[in-house]
Amino acid sequence: MLRDLGDGLVLRCAKPQDTEALAEFQRVRQFGEDEPVESNADSTRDLMRGDLPGFAPEDWTVVEDEQRGAIVSAQCLISQTWSYGGVHFPVGRVEFVATHPDYRRRGLVRAQMRIAHQWSRQRGELALAISGIPWYYRQFGYEMAVEYWGGRRGHPDAVPRLLDGRSEPCLLRPARPDDVPLLTRLYEQGMRRYLVSCVRDDELWRFDLVLRSRGASRYQEIRVIESTPGVAVGILVHRVAPDARTIVYELEDGVRFENVTPSVLRYLRAFGRQQAGAPKDEQSSRLVLELGSTHPAYEAVCDALPVTIPCYACYIRVPDVPQFMRHIASAMAQRLASSTWAGHTGVCHINFVSEGVRLTFVEGRIKVDAWMPPQLDNRYRPRIRDALFPGLTFLQLLFGYRSVEDLEHAYADCLVASDPAREMLNVLFPPRPSFLWAVE
Ligand SMILES: CC(C)(COP(=O)(O)OP(=O)(O)OC[C@H]1O[C@@H](n2cnc3c(N)ncnc32)[C@H](O)[C@@H]1OP(=O)(O)O)[C@@H](O)C(=O)NCCC(=O)NCCS
């Protein structure tokens, strides 16, 4: 037992024998017993089997009502690796958060969050992430700070048809275990265009390809794109849904998206039609590429998929901001080196009101220290600070989600002391798209 919560409720780690009770709990957790989500039960079973690299059944916390012998609240922590401009960092992702309606607003998730944060610290993770419901997780120290999903959509009928007598220039086939190195390589190559992304190694691809249940909410179809049989030119990952929602589409260097994309769209349209349910099904009247805010395929699909789907944002918690910044200091130093601030020597104080960081630059190298802002600066006279970012807003800048100017515009109490300070912050933290297909 991790904690006795009183009233017959105990907080504990899950055990393998909880699998079916937990799967049933997750099946009805989102929308209630009237709208069960079968795929959540399958995803829960997948996680409880312990096949996901680095995950074990004990990474779930559950609250049990001992009198009823029932699970009444649960969540899990999935450890994984992400990249920040090429620098890998360990992340804990909180997933499948739910409380039975009769037990809500009694602090059961709050109690489990404390445990998740403690486990994450013990594992040496530098950040936590949640893709979650609006506002709720802010109260646990999370900020919406990384761009999440977003893309393009259009009607399947707008997909360009193959001209009579022409054969399809590219064909897609299911990926096989021996394609894993190709999947890892092309995905990694594509992620270089983003600031933050999830690192997917061979083991993880193998899990998604071979071990994930087809009925699970996290299941994806994985395809290899071939120009002629046996010659792979790209990869595609998409959902089993009428809109064939595509989340990864990457090509070999030198292969042009405009040449391959019409074949890919025709494949997706055919796949989506096979999945479509009732004719009025909203999903069956669209195709979706959910590849983030920017992707080279978008130029090739602007006629067929003309509607922009705005991005959501992923919640991020960075328990120790100076420690995180020390970890990614080489990425900051690189940006400095390729700017007019190359070789800079000086100090920059960034104030988060109740804490802060001091960046010391010595001929272009960067040292990051925790800094406690003395209460000497006021709104008009910044004696020490170079910039003030209220609360957790600095995370939006750090993760490339918003620019300095965006934050100054959105928050009246975001204060930058001078034009040179603003210029330097823009160099260190330029806005950049991110793409997250996290491990879940
Ligand atoms: C959202 C949900 C997980 C909250 O579970 P819970 O056990 O009631 O949460 P807690 O009581 O621990 O919440 C902590 C705090 O948030 C408050 N809170 C609870 N639900 C809230 C909501 N929907 N909006 C805002 N605040 C909420 C609680 O009052 C509590 O505040 P307090 O500690 O100051 O009293 C639960 O309502 C649920 O299962 N919803 C359906 C599934 C879902 O949406 N899951 C999240 C997927 S990301």
Side-chain angles (χ1 to χ4, degrees), residues 108-181:
L108 302 190
V109 165
R110 185 181 288 281
Q112 292 173 88
M113 280 294 181
R114 265 195 214 113
I115 303 284
H117 294 169
Q118 191 184 316
W119 286 353
S120 179
R121 194 170 48 246
Q122 286 161 358
R123 293 174 189 183
E125 288 163 358
L126 299 182
L128 285 117
I130 306 182
S131 59
I133 53 174
W135 186 84
Y136 182 68
Y137 297 98
R138 291 179 189 271
Q139 64 192 319
F140 306 123
Y142 290 77
E143 175 79 347
M144 286 196 143
V146 178
E147 198 171 274
Y148 201 44
W149 300 128
R152 297 287 185 277
R153 71 176 162 82
H155 197 283
D157 289 348
V159 169
R161 283 170 198 284
L162 196 59
L163 296 178
D164 286 346
R166 297 283 297 276
S167 55
E168 194 63 84
C170 293
L171 292 172
L172 288 89
R173 63 161 175 83
R176 302 178 302 246
D178 60 317
D179 293 315
V180 162

Side-chain angles (χ1 to χ4, degrees), residues 60 76 85 146 153 159 172 175 188 212 289 293 319 321 355:
W60 285 90
C76 64
V146 178
R153 71 176 162 82
V159 169
L172 288 89
E188 197 271 328
R212 192 144 346 234
L289 292 188
S293 63
V321 174
E355 49 190 18

